[in-house]
Amino acid sequence: KAGVTQTPRYLIKTRGQQVTLSCSPISGHRSVSWYQQTPGQGLQFLFEYFSETQRNKGNFPGRFSGRQFSNSRSEMNVSTLELGDSALYLCASSFSGSDYGYTFGSGTRLTVV
Amino acid sequence: SQQGEEDPQALSIQEGENATMNCSYKTSINNLQWYRQNSGRGLVHLILIRSNEREKHSGRLRVTLDTSKKSSSLLITASRAADTASYFCATDAPLHGGSARQLTFGSGTQLTVLP
């Protein structure tokens, strides 16, 4: 079966711009989570969506937002980009949450210049 | 914030040897999961152990969990060059009651298996 698909794979943006990243989960998975990975902070939780509802949000500023559609596809948006937002953004899907482990996508590498 | 701390940060071994990585965490958990990440790519789920389990096996992987010490270990037996990757533990802990869940990752162990 198809895995978790994240688009685009690479992105270069300028400070102050906004960006939208997309994630298509495994068919049938209703939980989608987003993580930010940087060399300094490691893997940090952004938010989780389940059946179009945000169930949990990490400790990130309001510039980071997300949503989930009825087909479980999810998007995250970062507005007013800062240099520190440069990171690998990972999406993970699961049937119902973290009881059974997550399947991760290959990530979107965002570089802010 | 990081829930788990992993030890060692880096490990270099010869092919065929066993590799052991340790993870410590701070709060009560529902389960603990191990993931592997090849350079700059997504994470691959390896194994999940629930809080009421003490040991679990999957192929060449063996995971133990000691909830009294809040620690876990991952053993990879008969390592191969293809096992070279970063390994992360992640804890699934209850949040505010209800169904809100998240994984909190450790800082990872970089394993290098030399041919």
Side-chain angles (χ1 to χ4, degrees):
Chain A
K1 57 182 177 183
V4 177
T5 303
Q6 289 189 246
T7 56
R9 284 296 312 279
Y10 302 93
L11 207 48
I12 300 175
K13 289 286 188 179
T14 303
R15 245 183 329 175
Q17 288 186 314
Q18 75 164 22
V19 67
T20 299
L21 312 182
S22 179
C23 172
S24 294
I26 288 175
S27 177
H29 283 190
R30 295 189 293 169
S31 168
V32 175
S33 297
W34 289 87
Y35 290 82
Q36 181 197 64
Q37 186 178 27
T38 60
Q41 298 298 317
L43 281 151
Q44 293 192 292
F45 172 77
L46 281 157
F47 24 67
E48 186 213 7
Y49 287 88
F50 184 84
S51 294
E52 300 180 68
T53 300
Q54 185 181 87
R55 286 206 295 198
N56 193 15
K57 189 177 193 303
N59 189 25
F60 278 80
R63 300 185 296 107
F64 292 81
S65 63
R67 59 179 175 168
Q68 186 181 34
F69 301 95
S70 59
N71 62 358
S72 292
R73 190 177 70 85
S74 177
E75 290 181 346
M76 68 163 280
N77 184 277
V78 187
S79 62
T80 319
L81 285 165
E82 301 177 358
L83 296 179
D85 297 332
S86 294
L88 180 65
Y89 289 88
L90 293 163
C91 166
S93 78
S94 173
F95 178 71
S96 62
S98 46
D99 280 338
Y100 300 95
Y102 286 94
T103 301
F104 279 79
S106 295
T108 294
R109 172 76 63 183
L110 172 65
T111 302
V112 182
V113 297
Chain B
S1 63
Q2 301 289 332
Q3 153 87 299
E5 293 297 326
E6 292 179 65
D7 169 54
Q9 288 190 345
L11 179 61
S12 184
I13 59 174
Q14 295 292 136
E15 220 170 14
E17 293 181 336
N18 295 341
T20 300
M21 288 159 266
N22 302 297
C23 169
S24 60
Y25 57 93
K26 299 173 185 172
T27 66
S28 297
I29 61 173
N30 293 319
N31 64 64
L32 186 144
Q33 304 174 30
W34 285 89
Y35 289 83
R36 183 186 75 208
Q37 183 179 39
N38 289 87
S39 180
R41 305 300 299 268
L43 282 77
V44 175
H45 179 256
L46 296 175
I47 196 164
L48 179 153
I49 186 166
R50 303 190 190 284
S51 61
N52 61 352
E53 298 176 310
R54 292 297 166 257
E55 187 171 314
K56 205 160 183 181
H57 297 254
S58 177
R60 294 184 296 114
L61 306 180
R62 172 179 168 255
V63 169
T64 61
L65 179 64
D66 187 334
T67 53
S68 66
K69 294 181 180 178
K70 291 186 170 59
S71 68
S72 174
S73 67
L74 171 68
L75 168 68
I76 304 174
T77 60
S79 63
R80 306 165 182 168
D83 294 329
T84 294
S86 293
Y87 290 82
F88 295 89
C89 68
T91 52
D92 169 26
L95 292 167
H96 322 300
S99 58
R101 310 288 282 272
Q102 72 177 69
L103 291 181
T104 306
F105 283 85
S107 50
T109 293
Q110 173 60 49
L111 173 66
T112 302
V113 181
L114 303 169

